Amino acid sequence: MFGIAWAGSAFLFTVFIEPAAAKLGPQAGPFMEEVVERRKVGEVVTATAAVTVIAGWILWFGDMRLVGFGDWIGSSFGLVLTIGGVAATGAFFAGLIGVPPNIKRLSALGKEVAASGGPPTPEQAAEMHEVQERMSKLSRLDLALIAVAVLCMATARYW
């Protein structure tokens, strides 16, 4: 269930919310403030991802221990699950390290613009664009790694 929630959250934010917020610019500020700061969606998604990755590695180690590392990696089932586990772990760390600082910076920039009462300065607009581009790249990487993990986990027994 946690894995489904994590993958769904990544899909929703990468495909719909992030592009809409980027298009709306400063007008997306109140919505993003509600979602990010008040509802703590970043922390919830990070916790969901952590539970997923930790549970996955516990299961992986339990199964690997039964047959031994060499035989586990030598089997297509074990290899595909390992690839999925590494992809999920990569997605977790990409999200953990890359997304929160960028969300916080965008939020701070939005507050600065709102406090000024006018449109963003050219410097603020340029920084907002740069942060949004960075987040977009990280979000797409995160979603791609999650997709690899889901594909591996769902199909490992058929390889």
Side-chain angles (χ1 to χ4, degrees), residues 50-84:
V51 168
T52 303
V53 171
I54 291 167
W57 282 114
I58 288 170
L59 292 170
W60 184 91
F61 279 108
D63 287 347
M64 184 272 304
R65 219 184 55 186
L66 294 175
V67 295
F69 184 76
D71 290 336
W72 178 250
I73 294 296
S75 72
S76 57
F77 179 71
L79 180 61
V80 172
L81 286 180
T82 302
I83 292 168

Short mmCIF file of all heavy atoms in Angstrom, two decimals, residues 50-84:
data_model
loop_
_atom_site.label_atom_id
_atom_site.label_comp_id
_atom_site.label_asym_id
_atom_site.label_seq_id
_atom_site.Cartn_x
_atom_site.Cartn_y
_atom_site.Cartn_z
N ALA A 50 10.06 6.00 2.49
CA ALA A 50 10.99 5.33 3.43
C ALA A 50 10.44 3.99 3.88
O ALA A 50 11.16 2.99 3.91
CB ALA A 50 11.27 6.24 4.63
N VAL A 51 9.17 3.95 4.24
CA VAL A 51 8.56 2.68 4.66
C VAL A 51 8.63 1.67 3.51
O VAL A 51 8.96 0.50 3.72
CB VAL A 51 7.09 2.90 5.12
CG1 VAL A 51 6.36 1.58 5.27
CG2 VAL A 51 7.06 3.69 6.42
N THR A 52 8.35 2.11 2.31
CA THR A 52 8.39 1.22 1.14
C THR A 52 9.77 0.64 0.93
O THR A 52 9.94 -0.57 0.75
CB THR A 52 7.93 1.98 -0.12
OG1 THR A 52 6.63 2.51 0.10
CG2 THR A 52 7.94 1.08 -1.34
N VAL A 53 10.79 1.50 0.93
CA VAL A 53 12.15 1.06 0.66
C VAL A 53 12.67 0.16 1.78
O VAL A 53 13.26 -0.90 1.53
CB VAL A 53 13.09 2.27 0.43
CG1 VAL A 53 14.54 1.86 0.38
CG2 VAL A 53 12.70 2.98 -0.86
N ILE A 54 12.43 0.53 3.02
CA ILE A 54 12.89 -0.29 4.15
C ILE A 54 12.21 -1.66 4.13
O ILE A 54 12.88 -2.69 4.28
CB ILE A 54 12.66 0.44 5.49
CG1 ILE A 54 13.60 1.65 5.59
CG2 ILE A 54 12.86 -0.49 6.66
CD1 ILE A 54 13.26 2.61 6.72
N ALA A 55 10.90 -1.68 3.92
CA ALA A 55 10.19 -2.96 3.87
C ALA A 55 10.69 -3.81 2.70
O ALA A 55 10.87 -5.03 2.84
CB ALA A 55 8.69 -2.73 3.74
N GLY A 56 10.95 -3.17 1.58
CA GLY A 56 11.46 -3.90 0.42
C GLY A 56 12.81 -4.54 0.68
O GLY A 56 13.04 -5.70 0.32
N TRP A 57 13.71 -3.79 1.30
CA TRP A 57 15.03 -4.35 1.58
C TRP A 57 14.97 -5.43 2.66
O TRP A 57 15.73 -6.40 2.60
CB TRP A 57 16.04 -3.26 1.95
CG TRP A 57 16.51 -2.53 0.72
CD1 TRP A 57 16.29 -1.22 0.41
CD2 TRP A 57 17.25 -3.08 -0.38
NE1 TRP A 57 16.86 -0.92 -0.80
CE2 TRP A 57 17.46 -2.04 -1.31
CE3 TRP A 57 17.76 -4.34 -0.66
CZ2 TRP A 57 18.14 -2.23 -2.51
CZ3 TRP A 57 18.45 -4.53 -1.85
CH2 TRP A 57 18.64 -3.48 -2.76
N ILE A 58 14.07 -5.32 3.60
CA ILE A 58 13.90 -6.39 4.60
C ILE A 58 13.46 -7.67 3.90
O ILE A 58 14.01 -8.75 4.17
CB ILE A 58 12.90 -5.96 5.70
CG1 ILE A 58 13.54 -4.90 6.60
CG2 ILE A 58 12.44 -7.17 6.52
CD1 ILE A 58 12.57 -4.25 7.57
N LEU A 59 12.50 -7.55 3.01
CA LEU A 59 12.05 -8.73 2.25
C LEU A 59 13.18 -9.28 1.36
O LEU A 59 13.36 -10.49 1.27
CB LEU A 59 10.83 -8.38 1.40
CG LEU A 59 9.55 -8.08 2.17
CD1 LEU A 59 8.49 -7.52 1.24
CD2 LEU A 59 9.05 -9.33 2.87
N TRP A 60 13.92 -8.38 0.72
CA TRP A 60 15.00 -8.80 -0.17
C TRP A 60 16.06 -9.58 0.62
O TRP A 60 16.47 -10.65 0.20
CB TRP A 60 15.62 -7.57 -0.83
CG TRP A 60 16.68 -7.89 -1.84
CD1 TRP A 60 16.50 -8.09 -3.17
CD2 TRP A 60 18.09 -8.03 -1.60
NE1 TRP A 60 17.71 -8.34 -3.79
CE2 TRP A 60 18.70 -8.32 -2.84
CE3 TRP A 60 18.89 -7.93 -0.48
CZ2 TRP A 60 20.06 -8.50 -2.98
CZ3 TRP A 60 20.25 -8.13 -0.61
CH2 TRP A 60 20.83 -8.41 -1.85
N PHE A 61 16.49 -9.03 1.76
CA PHE A 61 17.50 -9.72 2.56
C PHE A 61 16.99 -11.05 3.09
O PHE A 61 17.74 -12.03 3.14
CB PHE A 61 17.99 -8.85 3.73
CG PHE A 61 19.02 -7.84 3.33
CD1 PHE A 61 18.71 -6.49 3.27
CD2 PHE A 61 20.30 -8.25 3.00
CE1 PHE A 61 19.67 -5.57 2.89
CE2 PHE A 61 21.27 -7.32 2.63
CZ PHE A 61 20.94 -5.98 2.56
N GLY A 62 15.72 -11.10 3.46
CA GLY A 62 15.15 -12.36 3.93
C GLY A 62 15.17 -13.43 2.86
O GLY A 62 15.55 -14.58 3.11
N ASP A 63 14.78 -13.07 1.64
CA ASP A 63 14.78 -14.04 0.54
C ASP A 63 16.20 -14.41 0.13
O ASP A 63 16.50 -15.57 -0.14
CB ASP A 63 14.03 -13.48 -0.66
CG ASP A 63 12.53 -13.46 -0.46
OD1 ASP A 63 12.05 -14.09 0.50
OD2 ASP A 63 11.83 -12.82 -1.27
N MET A 64 17.08 -13.40 0.05
CA MET A 64 18.47 -13.65 -0.36
C MET A 64 19.17 -14.57 0.62
O MET A 64 19.92 -15.45 0.24
CB MET A 64 19.22 -12.32 -0.48
CG MET A 64 20.63 -12.41 -1.00
SD MET A 64 21.92 -12.67 0.24
CE MET A 64 21.66 -11.31 1.34
N ARG A 65 18.88 -14.40 1.90
CA ARG A 65 19.51 -15.22 2.93
C ARG A 65 19.17 -16.70 2.78
O ARG A 65 19.97 -17.57 3.12
CB ARG A 65 19.06 -14.72 4.30
CG ARG A 65 20.12 -14.71 5.34
CD ARG A 65 19.56 -14.30 6.65
NE ARG A 65 18.43 -15.20 6.92
CZ ARG A 65 17.61 -15.09 7.91
NH1 ARG A 65 17.75 -14.14 8.76
NH2 ARG A 65 16.62 -15.92 8.09
N LEU A 66 18.00 -16.99 2.27
CA LEU A 66 17.56 -18.38 2.11
C LEU A 66 18.39 -19.15 1.09
O LEU A 66 18.59 -20.35 1.22
CB LEU A 66 16.09 -18.45 1.72
CG LEU A 66 15.10 -17.96 2.77
CD1 LEU A 66 13.69 -17.95 2.19
CD2 LEU A 66 15.17 -18.82 4.02
N VAL A 67 18.87 -18.46 0.06
CA VAL A 67 19.59 -19.15 -1.02
C VAL A 67 21.05 -18.73 -1.14
O VAL A 67 21.81 -19.38 -1.86
CB VAL A 67 18.88 -18.95 -2.38
CG1 VAL A 67 17.52 -19.58 -2.39
CG2 VAL A 67 18.80 -17.48 -2.76
N GLY A 68 21.44 -17.66 -0.50
CA GLY A 68 22.81 -17.15 -0.61
C GLY A 68 22.90 -16.09 -1.70
O GLY A 68 22.17 -16.13 -2.69
N PHE A 69 23.81 -15.16 -1.49
CA PHE A 69 23.91 -14.00 -2.39
C PHE A 69 24.20 -14.39 -3.83
O PHE A 69 23.55 -13.91 -4.76
CB PHE A 69 24.98 -13.02 -1.88
CG PHE A 69 25.06 -11.77 -2.71
CD1 PHE A 69 24.10 -10.79 -2.59
CD2 PHE A 69 26.10 -11.59 -3.61
CE1 PHE A 69 24.16 -9.64 -3.35
CE2 PHE A 69 26.18 -10.44 -4.37
CZ PHE A 69 25.20 -9.46 -4.24
N GLY A 70 25.17 -15.27 -4.05
CA GLY A 70 25.55 -15.65 -5.41
C GLY A 70 24.41 -16.30 -6.16
O GLY A 70 24.15 -15.97 -7.33
N ASP A 71 23.72 -17.23 -5.51
CA ASP A 71 22.59 -17.89 -6.17
C ASP A 71 21.43 -16.92 -6.36
O ASP A 71 20.69 -17.02 -7.34
CB ASP A 71 22.13 -19.10 -5.35
CG ASP A 71 23.14 -20.25 -5.39
OD1 ASP A 71 23.94 -20.30 -6.36
OD2 ASP A 71 23.15 -21.07 -4.45
N TRP A 72 21.25 -16.00 -5.41
CA TRP A 72 20.17 -15.04 -5.51
C TRP A 72 20.37 -14.11 -6.71
O TRP A 72 19.48 -13.95 -7.54
CB TRP A 72 20.08 -14.24 -4.21
CG TRP A 72 19.04 -13.16 -4.19
CD1 TRP A 72 19.25 -11.82 -4.20
CD2 TRP A 72 17.63 -13.34 -4.14
NE1 TRP A 72 18.07 -11.16 -4.15
CE2 TRP A 72 17.05 -12.06 -4.12
CE3 TRP A 72 16.79 -14.45 -4.12
CZ2 TRP A 72 15.68 -11.86 -4.08
CZ3 TRP A 72 15.41 -14.24 -4.07
CH2 TRP A 72 14.88 -12.96 -4.05
N ILE A 73 21.56 -13.52 -6.80
CA ILE A 73 21.85 -12.61 -7.91
C ILE A 73 21.95 -13.38 -9.22
O ILE A 73 21.65 -12.86 -10.29
CB ILE A 73 23.16 -11.82 -7.64
CG1 ILE A 73 22.97 -10.89 -6.44
CG2 ILE A 73 23.59 -11.00 -8.84
CD1 ILE A 73 21.94 -9.80 -6.62
N GLY A 74 22.36 -14.64 -9.14
CA GLY A 74 22.47 -15.47 -10.35
C GLY A 74 21.13 -15.88 -10.93
O GLY A 74 21.04 -16.24 -12.10
N SER A 75 20.08 -15.80 -10.12
CA SER A 75 18.74 -16.13 -10.64
C SER A 75 18.13 -14.88 -11.25
O SER A 75 18.36 -13.77 -10.79
CB SER A 75 17.84 -16.66 -9.52
OG SER A 75 17.47 -15.62 -8.64
N SER A 76 17.35 -15.05 -12.30
CA SER A 76 16.72 -13.89 -12.92
C SER A 76 15.76 -13.22 -11.95
O SER A 76 15.66 -11.99 -11.92
CB SER A 76 16.02 -14.28 -14.22
OG SER A 76 15.07 -15.29 -14.00
N PHE A 77 15.06 -14.02 -11.13
CA PHE A 77 14.13 -13.47 -10.14
C PHE A 77 14.88 -12.56 -9.16
O PHE A 77 14.49 -11.41 -8.93
CB PHE A 77 13.44 -14.62 -9.40
CG PHE A 77 12.48 -14.18 -8.33
CD1 PHE A 77 11.27 -13.59 -8.67
CD2 PHE A 77 12.78 -14.38 -6.99
CE1 PHE A 77 10.37 -13.20 -7.68
CE2 PHE A 77 11.88 -13.99 -6.00
CZ PHE A 77 10.67 -13.40 -6.36
N GLY A 78 15.96 -13.06 -8.59
CA GLY A 78 16.73 -12.29 -7.62
C GLY A 78 17.37 -11.06 -8.25
O GLY A 78 17.39 -9.98 -7.65
N LEU A 79 17.87 -11.20 -9.47
CA LEU A 79 18.50 -10.08 -10.16
C LEU A 79 17.49 -8.97 -10.45
O LEU A 79 17.76 -7.79 -10.21
CB LEU A 79 19.17 -10.54 -11.45
CG LEU A 79 19.87 -9.46 -12.27
CD1 LEU A 79 20.99 -8.82 -11.46
CD2 LEU A 79 20.38 -10.03 -13.58
N VAL A 80 16.32 -9.34 -10.94
CA VAL A 80 15.31 -8.33 -11.27
C VAL A 80 14.81 -7.64 -10.00
O VAL A 80 14.63 -6.42 -9.98
CB VAL A 80 14.15 -8.96 -12.08
CG1 VAL A 80 13.00 -7.98 -12.25
CG2 VAL A 80 14.65 -9.41 -13.44
N LEU A 81 14.62 -8.40 -8.92
CA LEU A 81 14.24 -7.76 -7.66
C LEU A 81 15.33 -6.82 -7.14
O LEU A 81 15.04 -5.76 -6.58
CB LEU A 81 13.90 -8.81 -6.60
CG LEU A 81 12.58 -9.54 -6.77
CD1 LEU A 81 12.38 -10.54 -5.64
CD2 LEU A 81 11.41 -8.59 -6.85
N THR A 82 16.58 -7.21 -7.34
CA THR A 82 17.70 -6.35 -6.93
C THR A 82 17.71 -5.06 -7.73
O THR A 82 17.89 -3.97 -7.16
CB THR A 82 19.03 -7.11 -7.08
OG1 THR A 82 18.97 -8.30 -6.30
CG2 THR A 82 20.20 -6.25 -6.63
N ILE A 83 17.52 -5.16 -9.02
CA ILE A 83 17.46 -3.97 -9.87
C ILE A 83 16.31 -3.06 -9.42
O ILE A 83 16.47 -1.85 -9.29
CB ILE A 83 17.31 -4.36 -11.36
CG1 ILE A 83 18.59 -5.02 -11.85
CG2 ILE A 83 16.97 -3.13 -12.21
CD1 ILE A 83 18.46 -5.70 -13.20
N GLY A 84 15.17 -3.66 -9.13
CA GLY A 84 14.03 -2.88 -8.64
C GLY A 84 14.32 -2.21 -7.31
O GLY A 84 13.96 -1.06 -7.09
#
